[in-house]
Amino acid sequence: MDPGQEPAENVKKISAVIRRGLRALSSESRRDDGVIGLIIIIALLAAAAALIASSVRQNKDAEVRRLSANASSTKLLNNSAISYFFADADGAGPLTALNRQIPCPDTNFPPDGTSNGTTVCAATTGVVPWLSMGISEDEAIDAFGNYFTYVVSGVDSSRQICTSVTNSYDTTKVEYTGTLNDVTDTEARLTSQAATQGTPFYYAFISHGKNGRGAISRSGARSAPTSSQEIQNCPSNNANCTGGSADPDPLVIFTGPKNATDATIFDDTVYVASATQLTSMCEGLAPGKGTANAEVAESFTDVAAGTAALPTSLATTNTATAAVELSTVAGNTTNKVLRFTGANAAVR
């Protein structure tokens, strides 16, 4: 049974108990002075109170189970987005080593599970592109039967997550420095916060909660948001938001708090990618596991020609007038690299 049906079943049970009690009360009232009837009423009230309390507990338990299921789902979605980032690292697929990035959202209606865009996204919000991410459609749907909304940065380098520099010897490849690219165009904030008071994010997943307003259901149904808070989390095009309630800024999302007041209702749950996890991922890509070795090749300071003598074995193939950088040169105590920049230099 769906967890949401349990409270309704308890209401039926309460109604049945009350009906039986009223029939018994009607029968007993004809045979006594009302004492038995009073006892029956008290018993009915006690039974009804117990069932109501049980219904409330089951309703809360069902909500907890759904939130737990959503948390597990978003963990899978996050891992799948990162797996997509690592896929085709050698340029064998839609991405190359020069534009490795997280997937673009699926902006189709009805959704078809494919990422709309590669290096440039068709839009920054949509649903999870489950086929492109290598997961099932079920795994792209939240515990309330709606597709997770997926939001990404509109800046290509921010979707590439990790900072990189072009390889000096093979310009079709890059080296990672172990740091995150900046992201400045997105913002996750509380409904009480003003613009710029929130936190930038690389990508996020949104469950539109029990009311489902702003979401796209698996059946293709769409429920228009009624509050400005939930409109803000709606996929960015009018067709998805319905009712002309377009997302005023598809790069801004609200994270809470929950609010049951209809005019400002908000029951969305937002999962933002962890910058700490992404930093660890980028560090793992860098040579030396976190050391920014990719920058070493760009950090040379040329030594004036003739300030250091070349070893005889090298002088036969390289001119003595070449600029040279060597650990034995006075003042050079850190670099352990020998570099030639002269016209006849053949080694670097």
Side-chain angles (χ1 to χ4, degrees):
M1 179 185 297
D2 179 79
Q5 295 178 345
E6 293 173 0
E9 292 297 320
N10 281 331
V11 170
K12 293 179 182 177
K13 293 177 182 177
I14 293 171
S15 299
V17 169
I18 293 175
R19 285 196 300 270
R20 288 196 299 271
L22 290 175
R23 286 196 297 269
L25 178 60
S26 177
S27 175
E28 293 297 334
S29 64
R30 294 193 293 269
R31 299 198 301 269
D32 60 66
D33 57 1
V35 174
I36 294 178
L38 180 59
I39 293 173
I40 291 174
I41 290 174
I42 293 172
L44 281 173
L45 291 174
L51 284 172
I52 290 172
S54 175
S55 176
V56 170
R57 284 196 302 273
Q58 290 179 0
N59 193 29
K60 289 182 178 179
D61 289 345
E63 186 73 10
V64 169
R65 286 195 294 273
R66 280 173 164 158
L67 291 175
S68 177
N70 275 349
S72 296
S73 295
T74 51
K75 182 177 181 180
L76 170 68
L77 294 178
N78 183 61
N79 289 340
S80 299
I82 291 176
S83 295
Y84 182 98
F85 173 87
F86 280 106
D88 305 307
D90 296 324
L95 301 179
T96 71
L98 291 176
N99 65 3
R100 186 189 300 193
Q101 64 177 6
I102 57 171
C104 294
D106 174 3
T107 58
N108 296 309
F109 187 82
D112 62 7
T114 58
S115 173
N116 290 103
T118 51
T119 56
V120 178
C121 295
T124 58
T125 63
V127 304
V128 171
W130 66 88
L131 291 178
S132 299
M133 289 169 61
I135 59 176
S136 70
E137 183 177 11
D138 287 341
E139 291 167 327
I141 293 174
D142 69 10
F144 301 96
N146 301 311
Y147 289 104
F148 281 100
T149 290
Y150 173 50
V151 187
V152 300
S153 169
V155 179
D156 295 344
S157 62
S158 296
R159 290 195 305 278
Q160 292 170 10
I161 307 294
C162 302
T163 306
S164 63
V165 294
T166 302
N167 187 299
S168 297
Y169 306 102
D170 183 349
T171 57
T172 66
K173 298 188 181 300
V174 297
E175 297 289 342
Y176 288 91
T177 67
T179 58
L180 288 172
N181 282 328
D182 289 335
V183 58
T184 58
D185 64 326
T186 59
E187 185 181 7
R189 64 179 186 244
L190 300 173
T191 56
S192 59
Q193 290 180 310
T196 74
Q197 292 181 343
T199 304
F201 64 92
Y202 290 88
Y203 59 94
F205 305 102
I206 301 172
S207 166
H208 293 273
K210 186 176 181 179
N211 71 25
R213 294 175 184 174
I216 302 174
S217 73
R218 186 170 194 165
S219 64
R222 296 173 292 193
S223 177
T226 57
S227 71
S228 59
Q229 289 82 358
E230 292 193 331
I231 289 174
Q232 188 64 69
N233 287 354
C234 179
S236 60
N237 59 63
N238 276 305
N240 287 344
C241 294
T242 74
S245 302
D247 181 346
D249 187 343
L251 293 170
V252 174
I253 58 176
F254 284 146
T255 60
K258 305 286 186 182
N259 190 341
T261 303
D262 193 61
T264 55
I265 191 167
F266 186 88
D267 72 343
D268 294 358
T269 303
V270 179
Y271 306 86
V272 175
S274 165
T276 300
Q277 180 185 22
L278 296 178
T279 297
S280 178
M281 177 185 78
C282 294
E283 288 176 347
L285 287 171
K289 295 184 177 180
T291 303
N293 289 339
E295 297 177 349
V296 171
E298 308 303 324
S299 64
F300 289 103
T301 300
D302 287 339
V303 178
T307 58
L310 290 174
T312 303
S313 60
L314 294 177
T316 56
T317 57
N318 297 276
T319 65
T321 58
V324 63
E325 186 173 23
L326 193 60
S327 59
T328 56
V329 175
N332 183 6
T333 59
T334 57
N335 288 326
K336 305 298 181 184
V337 180
L338 177 64
R339 185 181 70 155
F340 302 95
T341 59
N344 297 324
V347 179
R348 183 180 180 186

